[in-house]
Amino acid sequence: SGGWQRVLSVKWQREEYRLGDDSGLSTLLMPGASYSLLRSDNRLDPNQGYRLQFDLTGSHRAALSDVDILHVNALVKGLFTLADKHRFLGRLQAGAVATNRFEDVPPSLRFFAGGDQSVRGYGYETLSPEDENGTGIGGRYKLVGSIEYQFEVADNWRVAAFMDEGNALNHLDEPLATGVGVGIRWISPVGPLRLDIAKGLDE
């Protein structure tokens, strides 16, 4: 188990980028704050627990930056176990960037989805708004949710089934992408390892 942790930071970032039709050299001075809370009954392989995390960073043109940005990320994860064999996991991620000129926001601060830590069944960071040439250029928002069921078939071995849904968006009414799959979990001496096979249900 653990308690709230707070981290305050200041980051100076200089990033040259070309992403579709957007290109430039971005210089940002970004103060930030991160808050996290972890509660679990076992750090290596918990049966019950949850994690909350909230990150906030920003920049302003009056403070050595090229563009005004307010960047927010939030993560909620939970786990509970029934009858020692049935495990249920949930995850919800949300993010947003507010800015006066989105084309001046560098790719590292835009949102992309897809991949094994996001929406499984899609390539890494392949879900995002696209330009007229079909190039993913990142979004203003990110919404990702996941549910997973695991069943213990032997000591330290579990099978899993899951469904993920999410996308990186410019408008919150845009559609989400869905991925489904199955997997194997092995609780090794150095920590849990997983193998997943997933399929995206949308283009």
Side-chain angles (χ1 to χ4, degrees):
S1 64
W4 280 103
Q5 293 185 343
R6 180 181 65 179
V7 176
L8 301 178
S9 64
V10 176
K11 180 171 70 172
W12 184 81
Q13 173 177 308
R14 186 173 175 84
E15 182 175 342
E16 185 174 5
Y17 63 92
R18 178 176 295 277
L19 196 61
D21 294 331
D22 294 341
S23 64
L25 177 63
S26 173
T27 301
L28 301 172
L29 179 68
M30 297 184 293
S34 177
Y35 298 86
S36 62
L37 175 65
L38 174 64
R39 301 287 192 192
S40 67
D41 57 3
N42 186 304
R43 280 196 171 271
L44 184 63
D45 184 36
N47 290 310
Q48 314 285 342
Y50 62 89
R51 176 187 174 193
L52 309 175
Q53 184 167 336
F54 181 79
D55 301 298
L56 175 69
T57 58
S59 66
H60 197 278
R61 286 173 293 175
L64 304 177
S65 297
D66 294 332
V67 60
D68 299 338
I69 295 174
L70 180 63
H71 196 274
V72 181
N73 259 314
L75 170 68
V76 179
K77 297 175 74 174
L79 160 70
F80 70 93
T81 303
L82 295 177
D84 295 329
K85 288 184 177 294
H86 305 275
R87 294 163 58 90
F88 299 87
L89 299 86
R91 168 172 50 95
L92 179 63
Q93 297 172 277
V97 56
T99 179
N100 55 317
R101 284 180 58 85
F102 184 75
E103 60 268 25
D104 291 338
V105 176
S108 62
L109 294 174
R110 302 184 186 190
F111 291 103
F112 298 84
D116 72 305
Q117 300 295 322
S118 181
V119 185
R120 288 167 285 188
Y122 300 87
Y124 176 68
E125 294 191 345
T126 57
L127 296 175
S128 86
E130 298 177 346
D131 63 14
E132 60 272 14
N133 298 317
T135 302
I137 58 172
R140 294 174 178 265
Y141 306 100
K142 180 179 181 179
L143 291 174
V144 174
S146 174
I147 55 174
E148 179 170 321
Y149 167 71
Q150 298 178 1
F151 178 73
E152 185 173 346
V153 294
D155 287 345
N156 298 324
W157 288 92
R158 303 183 184 114
V159 294
F162 55 84
M163 180 176 73
D164 300 341
E165 191 165 73
N167 211 340
L169 318 162
N170 280 331
H171 305 282
L172 292 176
D173 59 354
E174 294 173 359
L176 303 179
T178 302
V180 296
V182 295
I184 299 173
R185 309 289 181 261
W186 175 43
I187 313 306
S188 77
V190 297
L193 301 176
R194 69 177 187 172
L195 173 65
D196 288 333
I197 299 175
K199 178 178 176 57
L201 302 184
D202 302 279
E203 291 188 11

